[in-house]
């Protein structure tokens, strides 16, 4: 693939992700910087201020006083060009804006006044914004770099560079710029800055492109296999050389402290004077001569996932070594930017969780979980993702099973990405609700006890190249005011209809293959199903079934079976658009009240 094509692909991926995460340029800002939409639009004056965490000019909190990039001598002609450029930018005349900014830059250079340096930095930053809108990425990078060179303590050019490099697919350079931004910003009490969400987005996008090792620059923390102890609900065996002395401060819930013996001289054999191992391991061994607090910070080998997570910091990698790991009946609530991955091939690293709580609860962005075989037994979902729109974790190349409940729950306003995963559940495979915006790609959702996918409330789900098969009920259910878009998906061998849409929900199907289910596409209430270039078959039930005010629109579809719909649906949605109708391969009737079609009263309603 040529460089232009690769850049175009990266740009398309980035644009889609930015839309999901609501990262955008502010049209009414002085230099139209990239902002994270977490509060009301910031004004021109607000965005002039930034914190410098360097030691020069630090105040008592470790930060310099506020820096205003517009301080200094103001030449009226230059200000006229800048203001005119801002006016053009606000009116979306980006060529005119760029011309004004460049004329202002030339006037600054002609002036030769040292006091114009700050204004020159602003004009270059604005020129970068206009060039970016004109899709001139290389020029935009040039102007942003010049603005940063002139005023290195100003975060705005750096944030622009981070976004531009991300658009270009250079995630390493984007991360470099974003980390500089964060060092210049004052962190909140939670350790976050206004650029944290952008940092998380870069990490997730870079990881999707196979660059996760470069995205997570912290320590490598290893979790040892519990081996046979896992089946007994225990963590990996305690190793004093790696874990330190076992006492109340270091013991895990399953440890029996009554059987603990104090370390002897023989147990310290193999340690050098500084506490490191003569074996030359990459792991940091325990040094009995130092305090527990000091040496704990050097520890990089752990007995269970939660213990490793508690010791991790933003940017660290947690690697589960080959073998079986026990979840110890606890939830790992993830609120740090970390990578959790299994060693070896998929299936060689297993988490065996037996609990009525989720194994993972993900509550922030910048989280990547990959290459893990998770087997959960209990009456809760295996993974819960919840939070605001910046919670955008990537779950990739995992085999996820839950033998007692749903497998994955996605709620809040979160926007997770689930790629190349196998999903199996006692109930629903993947359920989204609230106003979440999940994205599924290349997933195999099969043999679920109820539906493969359930989209509820006002959730919006995009699924591409997924397979939903062999479920005991429907393939995909969309209800409430939810929206589902399925592209190049295969839905087959389910014991209910392939797609069941109700209430005010809307489903869009493009290039999908729906066959060998008990029913094809069904619409109830005031719902709508839009199918384009799809192969639809109903099996022993109706390929198309519309009830109430349900609408079904099909264009260029191959429809195999019996369609049962009001005349208006036939006229407006089916008898046009180059559809091909074929007789069913078997006899067709309404399904009997058995299996997936048994009516069960809801305990939450009067029905």
């Amino acid at each position: 693939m040529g460089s232009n094509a690769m850049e175009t692909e990266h740009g398309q991926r980035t644009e889609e992700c930015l839309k999901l995460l609501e990262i955008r340029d502010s049209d009414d800002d002085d230099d139209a910087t990239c902002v994270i939409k977490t509060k009301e639009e910031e004004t021109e004056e607000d965005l002039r201020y930034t914190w410098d965490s360097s030691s020069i000019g630090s105040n008592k909190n470790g930060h310099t006083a506020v820096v205003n990039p517009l301080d200094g001598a103001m030449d009226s002609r230059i200000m006229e060009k800048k203001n005119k450029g801002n006016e053009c930018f606000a009116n979306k005349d980006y060529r005119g804006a760029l011309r004004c900014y460049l004329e202002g830059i030339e006037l600054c250079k002609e002036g030769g006044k040292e006091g114009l340096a700050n204004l020159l930095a602003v004009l270059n930053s604005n020129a970068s914004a206009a060039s970016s809108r004109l899709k001139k990425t290389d020029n935009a990078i040039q102007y942003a770099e010049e603005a940063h060179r002139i005023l290195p303590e100003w975060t705005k050019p750096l944030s622009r560079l981070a976004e531009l490099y991300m658009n270009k697919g250079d995630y390493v350079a984007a991360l470099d710029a974003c980390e500089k931004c964060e060092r210049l910003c004052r962190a909140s009490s939670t350790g976050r800055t206004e650029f944290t969400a952008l940092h998380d987005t870069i990490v997730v996008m870079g990881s999707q492109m196979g660059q996760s090792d470069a995205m997570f620059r912290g320590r490598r923390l290893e979790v040892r296999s519990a081996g046979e102890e896992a089946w007994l609900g225990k963590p990996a065996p305690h190793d004093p050389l790696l874990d330190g002395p076992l006492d109340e401060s270091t013991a895990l819930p399953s440890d029996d402290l009554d059987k603990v013996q104090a370390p002897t001289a023989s147990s310290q054999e193999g340690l050098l004077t500084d506490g490191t191992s003569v074996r030359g391991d990459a792991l940091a061994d325990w040094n009995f001569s130092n305090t527990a607090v000091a040496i704990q910070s050097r520890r990089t080998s752990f007995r269970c996932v939660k213990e490793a997570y508690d010791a991790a910091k933003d940017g660290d990698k947690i690697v589960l070594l080959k073998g079986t790991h026990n979840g110890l009946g606890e939830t790992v609530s993830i609120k740090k930017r970390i990578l959790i991955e299994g060693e070896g091939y998929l299936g060689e690293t297993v988490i065996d969780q037996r609990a009525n709580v989720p194994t993972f609860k993900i509550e922030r962005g910048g989280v990547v979980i990959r290459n893990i075989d998770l087997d959960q037994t209990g009456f809760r979902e295996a993974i819960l993702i919840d939070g605001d729109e910046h919670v955008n974790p990537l779950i990739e190349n995992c085999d996820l099973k839950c033998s007692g409940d749903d497998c994955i729950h996605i709620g809040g306003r979160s926007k997770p990405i689930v790629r190349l995963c196998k999903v199996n559940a006692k109930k629903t495979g993947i359920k989204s609700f609230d106003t979440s915006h999940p994205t599924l790609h290349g997933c195999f959702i099969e043999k679920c006890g109820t539906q493969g996918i359930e989209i509820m409330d006002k959730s919006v789900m995009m699924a591409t190249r997924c397979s939903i098969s062999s479920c005991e009920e429907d393939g995909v259910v969309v209800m409430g005011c939810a929206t589902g878009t399925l592209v190049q998906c295969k839905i087959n061998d389910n014991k209910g209809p392939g797609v069941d849409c109700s209430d005010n929900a809307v489903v869009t199907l493009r290039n999908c293959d729906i066959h060998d289910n008990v029913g094809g596409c069904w619409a109830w209430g005031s719902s709508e199903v839009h199918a384009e270039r799809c192969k639809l078959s109903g099996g022993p039930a109706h390929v198309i079934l519309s009830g109430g005010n349900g609408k079904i629109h099909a264009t260029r579809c191959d429809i195999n079976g019996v369609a049962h719909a009001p005349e208006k649906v036939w006229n407006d949605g089916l008898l046009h658009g180059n559809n091909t109708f074929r007789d069913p391969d078997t006899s067709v009737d309404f399904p009997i009240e058995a299996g997936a079609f048994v009516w069960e009263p809801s305990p939450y309603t009067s029905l």
Side-chain angles (χ1 to χ4, degrees), residues 27 81-101:
D27 287 347
K81 294 294 183 184
K82 182 185 78 71
N83 293 336
K84 179 63 176 175
N86 290 352
E87 182 181 340
C88 290
F89 195 99
N91 292 325
K92 303 188 185 303
D93 178 10
Y94 303 121
R95 294 186 185 279
L98 179 60
R99 182 172 60 253
C100 290
Y101 295 143

Side-chain angles (χ1 to χ4, degrees), residues 420-439:
L420 308 175
C421 290
K422 296 179 181 179
V423 178
N424 169 259
K426 174 70 173 180
K427 296 182 179 178
T428 302
I430 299 178
K431 180 182 290 185
S432 66
F433 47 90
D434 296 335
T435 57
S436 58
H437 282 63
T439 298

